[in-house]
Amino acid sequence: MSDHWNTYFTYIDNKPASFMLDLEPWKDGANETLVHLYRLSVILNEPTEDGLTSNQEAEVLYGIEDSIHDSLDNHYLFVGRITTDGRRDFFYYTDAEDGARLTSLAAAVLTKL
């Protein structure tokens, strides 16, 4: 994961959206074999009126995000997230053709909450 992240606000399907993106995930060339993109989606329990995260729920989501990242090895690369319409999507590149490990890991993290 690079140190060059940026956040953007826009609209998706006429709904507010927040993006956080790694702008240099392949800068050093070490991740070029990670060619499969997978998305993990989390439905927000208490979204704001505009479908984004509340401050309280954002803290829980940061914990989920950190737990998933801490459990992944170098076969996965977190490259960003989008929050809109009452859900947060996390995006990962991997060299695995099957996203089952990532899905299983996310499910384990979520059941601990």
Side-chain angles (χ1 to χ4, degrees):
M1 198 167 12
S2 82
D3 292 326
H4 194 159
W5 289 80
N6 217 347
T7 302
Y8 303 93
F9 294 94
T10 189
Y11 289 85
I12 297 175
D13 295 330
N14 296 318
K15 296 175 182 149
S18 168
F19 290 75
M20 186 183 85
L21 301 172
D22 185 344
L23 300 176
E24 297 180 335
W26 290 276
K27 181 180 180 181
D28 63 4
N31 300 314
E32 290 180 0
T33 62
L34 307 178
V35 296
H36 303 285
L37 179 65
Y38 288 97
R39 178 184 71 194
L40 292 175
S41 293
V42 175
I43 302 300
L44 304 179
N45 288 326
E46 299 176 20
T48 60
E49 273 185 32
D50 55 6
L52 300 175
T53 56
S54 64
N55 289 337
Q56 181 180 0
E57 191 162 27
E59 292 302 318
V60 172
L61 290 167
Y62 297 147
I64 291 169
E65 188 176 314
D66 290 345
S67 293
I68 292 170
H69 300 328
D70 292 347
S71 301
L72 294 174
D73 58 24
N74 62 352
H75 293 276
Y76 293 87
L77 177 66
F78 175 61
V79 293
R81 68 176 184 235
I82 300 173
T83 306
T84 189
D85 197 21
R87 100 177 165 268
R88 177 165 286 177
D89 295 328
F90 301 95
F91 294 90
Y92 298 85
Y93 275 98
T94 180
D95 56 3
E97 291 183 24
D98 179 347
R101 179 166 180 255
L102 188 57
T103 302
S104 174
L105 175 61
V109 167
L110 291 173
T111 57
K112 292 179 183 178
L113 299 177

